[in-house]
Amino acid sequence: MRDEPQIPEELRKKYLSIALDKAERLEELINEFFEITRFNLSNITLQYREINLTRLLEQLVYEFHPMLGEKNLQCELHAPENIGIRCDGDKIQRVFDNLLRNAVIYSAADTTISITTEQREDAVEIVFVNYGSTIPEEKLSRIFEQFYRLDAARSSGGGTGIGLAIAKQLVELHKGTIRAESGDGKVKFTVTLPLS
């Protein structure tokens, strides 16, 4: 584009689109590696406060509407009206953002993602379910490892394989657990967080 001023408009648009895609991908990678540095080299201090978990999840689903629309996906939230939980809201939002983003990326088009919360006596369980390809057991056992990607051939649409590792670290810092299950085209992530 720089060296050929007489380039046809259609070709110019094509090259601009490619350049924009590459620039956005590079920005994602830079942000991911900043995250790696931050989470590896610093002691994370959690800023605990009371949050309304239901409102946080509602806001998350709302923010993902444009991304959901690209694949004609639905996202259903099943949660009691108000679930109060004491946690670092920003860090927990980061966990849920990562889980929903992965669900969107790996969902088959025209399917439904569900987020379900269940409050127990001393904990709350948040379950993300999406439908796409079944994750084989050998890959499922490594899914929370840093830099592990489910499908290297499709990784241009995903991240660097750091998101789930960070999510696991953040959940465990909250004295919670995160686990993954898959079968019959269904992928399920379950986060359990203590209520206090």
Side-chain angles (χ1 to χ4, degrees), residues 60-71:
L60 180 73
V61 172
Y62 177 78
E63 290 171 1
F64 269 80
H65 275 163
M67 195 173 173
L68 290 160
E70 291 173 10
K71 293 174 75 173

Side-chain angles (χ1 to χ4, degrees), residues 132-151:
S133 299
T134 299
I135 303 172
E137 189 61 41
E138 66 274 11
K139 293 188 175 185
L140 206 58
S141 65
R142 300 187 60 199
I143 203 165
F144 295 107
E145 293 178 14
Q146 283 194 13
F147 305 116
Y148 185 76
R149 294 177 299 192
L150 284 176
D151 186 348

Side-chain angles (χ1 to χ4, degrees), residues 148-175:
Y148 185 76
R149 294 177 299 192
L150 284 176
D151 186 348
R154 294 171 58 194
S155 63
S156 61
T160 55
I162 191 68
L164 287 175
I166 290 174
K168 184 174 191 282
Q169 185 179 359
L170 292 176
V171 169
E172 289 177 349
L173 279 170
H174 281 85
K175 305 291 189 280

Side-chain angles (χ1 to χ4, degrees), residues 15-72:
Y15 289 153
L16 273 172
S17 176
I18 292 169
L20 179 62
D21 286 346
K22 297 294 184 186
E24 288 175 344
R25 177 64 180 147
L26 185 59
E27 182 183 32
E28 287 174 14
L29 287 170
I30 290 168
N31 288 337
E32 292 269 6
F33 283 110
F34 274 131
E35 287 290 295
I36 294 165
T37 304
R38 187 158 65 92
F39 281 88
N40 278 347
L41 300 181
S42 63
N43 292 319
I44 302 170
T45 303
L46 298 179
Q47 305 294 322
Y48 279 91
R49 59 188 169 88
E50 290 289 333
I51 69 160
N52 185 320
L53 183 61
T54 306
R55 296 289 92 77
L56 186 149
L57 290 168
E58 286 174 347
Q59 180 66 29
L60 180 73
V61 172
Y62 177 78
E63 290 171 1
F64 269 80
H65 275 163
M67 195 173 173
L68 290 160
E70 291 173 10
K71 293 174 75 173
N72 197 31

Side-chain angles (χ1 to χ4, degrees), residues 1 6 11 33 51 64 73 76-77 102 115 118 132 140 163:
M1 285 171 58
Q6 302 302 320
L11 210 50
F33 283 110
I51 69 160
F64 269 80
L73 299 170
E76 296 177 352
L77 174 61
N102 279 357
I115 305 171
E118 185 178 336
L140 206 58

Side-chain angles (χ1 to χ4, degrees), residues 56-152:
L56 186 149
L57 290 168
E58 286 174 347
Q59 180 66 29
L60 180 73
V61 172
Y62 177 78
E63 290 171 1
F64 269 80
H65 275 163
M67 195 173 173
L68 290 160
E70 291 173 10
K71 293 174 75 173
N72 197 31
L73 299 170
Q74 300 296 316
C75 186
E76 296 177 352
L77 174 61
H78 307 279
E81 185 60 31
N82 291 295
I83 298 179
I85 184 171
R86 186 167 170 75
C87 67
D88 185 320
D90 292 337
K91 304 286 192 302
I92 290 300
Q93 182 173 0
R94 167 71 200 248
V95 171
F96 296 153
D97 183 282
N98 182 273
L99 293 176
L100 185 51
R101 189 172 303 277
N102 279 357
V104 171
I105 290 169
Y106 293 106
S107 282
D110 306 309
T111 58
T112 299
I113 297 167
S114 70
I115 305 171
T116 306
T117 65
E118 185 178 336
Q119 190 168 344
R120 298 182 178 163
E121 192 173 316
D122 58 352
V124 62
E125 194 174 83
I126 307 96
V127 180
F128 288 73
V129 174
N130 72 283
Y131 296 88
S133 299
T134 299
I135 303 172
E137 189 61 41
E138 66 274 11
K139 293 188 175 185
L140 206 58
S141 65
R142 300 187 60 199
I143 203 165
F144 295 107
E145 293 178 14
Q146 283 194 13
F147 305 116
Y148 185 76
R149 294 177 299 192
L150 284 176
D151 186 348

